Amino acid sequence: MPYPSTPAPVQSVARRPAACAGVLLTAALVLLGALQAPPAAADPGTPRAAAATAHPHGTPRVTAAVLDLDGDTREPLVRGDDTPYDTASIVKLDILAALLLRAQDAGRPLTARERSLAEPMIEHSDNAAANVLWCRIGGAPGLEAANRRLGLRATEGGPGRRWGLTRTTASDQIRLLRAVFDDRAPGGGAPALHPGSRRYIRTLMSRVAPEQTWGVSAASGSATALPGSATALPGSATALKNGWLRRSTTGLWDVNSVGRVTAGGHRYLVAVLSDGSATMDEGVAAVERTARAAVASAARA
């Protein structure tokens, strides 16, 4: 579906970064829409093939991390090299967490305006809403300050207004998912996000648009299935956020998926990051194949 029209500007916030101050939202939409979205002819919410381009660095990369929420350990099982990838739109989950922390610090709920942006940002991966909220949280410095409180260690905010070029690792995405879905905070303290904030994020992640329910949902119900078996339909126990980005310099795709699935009676947090796919369909297939295999491995561990 096409992107919604540009929202009305929000009021300035204290100490907003210079990169966000005084910039017309329409200009930001043009910049970031081109960065995040597939080519203009493609539906931004649906896997579509792009022109195949030889990967200049060899085989496409993919890394997965899985944590069994009902298991005894709080260390994720990692498949692949746990090195940084571009986030594309999975950073929208991090943006929302940072926004909720700011509201908590001010002793208030999200405003109606903030909710009207947060909900399409997660449910429909709306870029225009993300542009506004990226500035509202203070851009990369604000994101990184929030991430220190959420326990992330290796996520670096994108330059300027390019939130889609935030860099992260699969393990860090599990840490972010723990801040949302795990009632046991690291170190035994209280979670940084209040219960109401966590419920709000979970609700939005469980209501993503049907055409965006690919990704880690493939592992739902597949803990005892063989890797490469048929994709399971996502159920009500699945909550996710996906990201996809065609790089203008190479024509290759970054395709990512993070979320919570239920398989074999256990709840799993799953993060799969990939880059270098010749088409989006190829990237989605790699993410789903890897998610199934990673959850099956975690179930056997």
Side-chain angles (χ1 to χ4, degrees):
M1 65 184 67
Y3 289 115
S5 58
T6 304
V10 297
Q11 293 181 349
S12 300
V13 295
R15 292 197 266 283
R16 173 182 285 187
C20 288
V23 178
L24 290 175
L25 185 57
T26 51
L29 176 59
V30 170
L31 174 64
L32 285 174
L35 173 67
Q36 164 64 16
D43 182 339
T46 305
R48 284 285 300 269
T53 305
H55 196 318
H57 304 298
T59 306
R61 296 190 307 155
V62 59
T63 299
V66 178
L67 177 67
D68 182 353
L69 275 178
D70 298 307
D72 296 328
T73 181
R74 280 299 178 263
E75 290 300 319
L77 175 68
V78 178
R79 294 172 61 94
D81 294 330
D82 199 23
T83 53
Y85 289 77
D86 297 327
T87 58
S89 274
I90 62 169
V91 75
K92 292 169 181 171
L93 175 59
D94 207 358
I95 293 171
L96 178 55
L99 181 71
L100 286 162
L101 284 178
R102 288 173 63 89
Q104 288 178 190
D105 292 345
R108 62 170 180 83
L110 295 185
T111 66
R113 172 63 172 160
E114 288 168 337
R115 290 195 305 273
S116 75
L117 295 167
E119 290 165 17
M121 179 178 72
I122 300 299
E123 295 175 10
H124 297 279
S125 207
D126 187 285
N127 289 341
N131 295 343
V132 177
L133 294 180
W134 176 253
C135 288
R136 176 65 63 94
I137 67 166
L143 187 80
E144 291 164 9
N147 283 345
R148 286 191 289 273
R149 297 169 62 183
L150 295 168
L152 279 67
R153 306 171 188 168
T155 298
E156 181 179 350
R161 295 178 299 279
R162 298 178 180 177
W163 42 261
L165 295 184
T166 296
R167 300 281 284 171
T168 194
T169 64
S171 288
D172 243 19
Q173 288 303 297
I174 293 295
R175 295 181 183 104
L176 178 58
L177 291 170
R178 281 194 64 189
V180 175
F181 292 100
D182 193 352
D183 295 330
R184 292 179 285 177
L193 288 167
H194 293 171
S197 296
R198 288 158 51 220
R199 283 194 300 271
Y200 183 65
I201 300 175
R202 294 173 187 178
T203 297
L204 299 191
M205 292 178 68
S206 68
R207 296 195 321 216
V208 298
E211 66 271 15
Q212 295 181 23
T213 56
W214 50 267
V216 297
S217 57
S220 180
S222 66
T224 58
L226 293 174
S229 61
T231 299
L233 293 176
S236 60
T238 300
L240 57 75
K241 181 69 192 82
N242 295 330
W244 58 100
L245 166 64
R246 191 185 190 197
R247 301 309 304 270
S248 60
T249 54
T250 64
L252 302 178
W253 288 82
D254 300 334
V255 180
N256 306 319
S257 184
V258 300
R260 182 203 61 199
V261 303
T262 300
H266 281 226
R267 298 166 301 153
Y268 294 91
L269 303 181
V270 188
V272 185
L273 309 180
S274 77
D275 63 19
S277 292
T279 69
M280 183 170 172
D281 284 343
E282 178 184 291
V284 170
V287 164
E288 294 189 336
R289 182 171 60 249
T290 302
R292 287 192 296 268
V295 169
S297 293
R300 293 191 294 263

